[in-house]
Amino acid sequence: MSSAYISAELRQQVAERAYFVCEYCLIHTDDTHFGCQIDHIISEKHGGLTEPENLAYACAFCNRFKGSDVGSIDWESGEFVRFYNPRIDRWRDHFELSGIRIIPASGIGRVTVRLLQINHIDRLIERQELAESKRFLTPEAIAYLTGRAQG
Ligand SMILES: [Zn+2]
């Protein structure tokens, strides 16, 4: 969620850093209806700043379901766990792909997949259609997973 002014330059920087794919569910912005958006990793409500280290590129679904939350209860441990943070975490440490499903590989992965509804049936249907047209994963998503953005 964002309400702060974010310059076109900063938006472009965040998008390019993410190779134009959602940093949570890996969909390419060109394959989304609404385009990807700029997400405050720590929401402004919780004091997160509008600076590159606190911004992520996120599709409208991930961004909307995440809202101003910063984490959730991980029901496996019973403890509060923060969401995946693309600036300090590596995607492959917290998620794995099983076909079109994004499977959590950690507590961080579990709360992120659940709260952002990453495997919602509508999103699986969309991902399946993309997979059939060779758009999931895109080359950009593969570059993102192996590229500089992921350290
Ligand atoms: Zn997404």
Side-chain angles (χ1 to χ4, degrees):
M1 302 283 282
S2 333
S3 57
Y5 172 75
I6 305 174
S7 71
E9 188 183 6
L10 184 53
R11 286 176 189 279
Q12 185 68 16
Q13 180 189 343
V14 171
E16 286 179 3
R17 182 176 61 186
Y19 293 78
F20 298 92
V21 302
C22 172
E23 298 193 72
Y24 300 100
C25 75
L26 306 178
I27 194 170
H28 193 288
T29 187
D30 289 351
D31 296 322
T32 67
H33 294 293
F34 307 106
C36 285
Q37 308 168 343
I38 306 300
D39 164 52
H40 282 78
I41 296 167
I42 305 298
S43 60
E44 296 171 274
K45 179 179 173 180
H46 292 285
L49 301 176
T50 303
E51 57 185 23
E53 296 71 30
N54 188 46
L55 298 177
Y57 201 54
C59 73
F61 289 109
C62 287
N63 200 21
R64 175 153 50 93
F65 289 127
K66 183 166 172 279
S68 63
D69 294 353
V70 294
S72 184
I73 305 297
D74 172 26
W75 294 110
E76 230 170 274
S77 66
E79 293 178 350
F80 179 85
V81 174
R82 66 171 174 82
F83 288 140
Y84 171 69
N85 180 336
R87 299 288 71 78
I88 59 176
D89 301 320
R90 285 161 46 96
W91 198 91
R92 287 185 189 280
D93 289 341
H94 298 285
F95 312 98
E96 51 191 77
L97 273 175
S98 174
I100 57 167
R101 278 181 187 273
I102 294 173
I103 309 296
S106 69
I108 285 173
R110 281 192 294 275
V111 297
T112 305
V113 165
R114 181 164 54 87
L115 270 289
L116 276 54
Q117 301 193 35
I118 283 176
N119 292 317
H120 186 285
I121 184 65
D122 293 342
R123 305 181 71 184
L124 290 177
I125 290 168
E126 181 178 43
R127 228 174 273 150
Q128 181 62 42
E129 289 171 359
L130 291 172
E132 285 166 9
S133 51
K134 307 263 189 273
R135 292 292 299 171
F136 190 83
L137 296 172
T138 55
E140 290 85 355
I142 293 165
Y144 172 74
L145 289 176
T146 55
R148 280 178 295 130
Q150 287 284 291

